[in-house]
């Protein structure tokens, strides 16, 4: 039963990952308007995340191998959630580029950490199904991100929306650190 809870926790983590990752696409117009950014500048912002993510994939895997997935995932989710919130606090394109790059660096540890959990906790004959479950969390997160962000943007401004998006990840990281043993 415990390993199913672990898979459920990873599913939620990847759901949160993709909501946080895709939210900026929904808010791009509001951000561009507020900060006076061109389409090219916003393209650079999107690329900054991808660059940080790509650069940190191997170190993210090393972190999970070296310190274990409990600590590694709690840390990366906490840090990326802080950068999700920090997205709402930026006041220039330079700050936005830096925050989104660092957000990508932090989020890069999610999939390698999840892979380590699956390897450590599940028997070989359950790993494929478990990976299917957790990866579906990422796809559902991507699907839910746009309507969720549209709702947040209708209720609040883009800055507040990013502050609010940080909360689920911070709560997840605390629960993961406390419950995953």
């Amino acid at each position: 039963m415990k390993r199913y809870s672990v898979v459920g926790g990873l599913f939620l983590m990847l759901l949160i990952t993709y909501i946080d990752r895709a939210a900026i696409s929904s808010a791009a117009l509001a951000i561009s308007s507020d900060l006076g950014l061109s389409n090219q500048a916003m393209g650079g912002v999107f690329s900054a995340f991808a660059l940080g993510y790509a650069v940190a994939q191997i170190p993210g895997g090393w972190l999970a191998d070296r310190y274990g997935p409990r600590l590694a995932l709690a840390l990366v989710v906490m840090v990326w959630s802080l950068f999700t919130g920090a997205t709402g606090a930026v006041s220039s394109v330079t700050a936005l580029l830096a925050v989104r790059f660092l957000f990508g660096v932090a989020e890069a540890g999610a999939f390698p950490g999840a892979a380590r959990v699956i390897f450590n906790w599940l028997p070989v004959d359950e790993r494929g199904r478990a990976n299917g479950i957790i990866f579906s969390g990422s796809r559902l997160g991507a699907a839910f991100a746009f309507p969720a962000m549209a709702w947040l943007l209708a209720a609040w401004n883009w800055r507040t929306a990013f502050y609010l998006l940080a909360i689920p990840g911070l709560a997840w990281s605390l629960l993961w650190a406390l419950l995953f043993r």
Side-chain angles (χ1 to χ4, degrees), residues 6 9-10 69-70 73-74 117 171-180:
V6 169
L10 293 175
R70 177 177 165 263
L73 288 177
V117 171
W172 186 95
S173 64
L174 177 63
L175 289 171
W176 183 260
L178 293 173
L179 300 176
F180 179 73

Side-chain angles (χ1 to χ4, degrees), residues 47-60:
S47 294
F49 165 83
L51 180 61
Y53 193 84
V55 167
Q57 284 283 288
I58 294 170

Side-chain angles (χ1 to χ4, degrees), residues 7-125:
V7 171
L10 293 175
F11 172 89
L12 287 174
M13 178 192 69
L14 293 181
L15 182 95
I16 294 166
T17 300
Y18 271 78
I19 290 172
D20 288 355
R21 181 184 302 190
I24 197 162
S25 297
S26 296
L29 186 59
I31 294 169
S32 295
S33 177
D34 189 31
L35 299 180
L37 305 180
S38 66
N39 287 341
Q40 291 81 9
M42 278 308 294
V45 169
F46 296 145
S47 294
F49 165 83
L51 180 61
Y53 193 84
V55 167
Q57 284 283 288
I58 294 170
W62 174 84
L63 184 70
D65 288 340
R66 175 72 175 92
Y67 296 101
R70 177 177 165 263
L71 178 61
L73 288 177
L75 179 66
V76 299
V77 176
M78 179 188 66
V79 173
W80 101 50
S81 296
L82 292 172
F83 282 114
T84 297
T87 300
V90 301
S91 59
S92 69
V93 68
T94 304
L96 187 56
L97 286 165
V99 165
R100 295 311 285 187
F101 175 82
L102 293 170
F103 170 69
V105 167
E107 204 175 81
F111 278 97
R116 175 48 88 177
V117 171
I118 297 295
F119 179 81
N120 287 357
W121 277 75
L122 280 89
V124 173
D125 62 333

Side-chain angles (χ1 to χ4, degrees), residues 147-158 161:
M149 196 61 175
W151 178 77
L152 287 171
L153 291 170
W156 294 281
N157 63 44
W158 70 269

Side-chain angles (χ1 to χ4, degrees), residues 113-163:
R116 175 48 88 177
V117 171
I118 297 295
F119 179 81
N120 287 357
W121 277 75
L122 280 89
V124 173
D125 62 333
E126 293 181 15
R127 291 180 188 164
R129 184 173 42 250
N131 276 304
I133 291 167
I134 68 170
F135 291 162
S136 70
S138 68
R139 300 298 88 209
L140 288 171
F144 292 146
F146 299 106
M149 196 61 175
W151 178 77
L152 287 171
L153 291 170
W156 294 281
N157 63 44
W158 70 269
R159 293 179 185 280
T160 302
F162 279 97
Y163 300 146

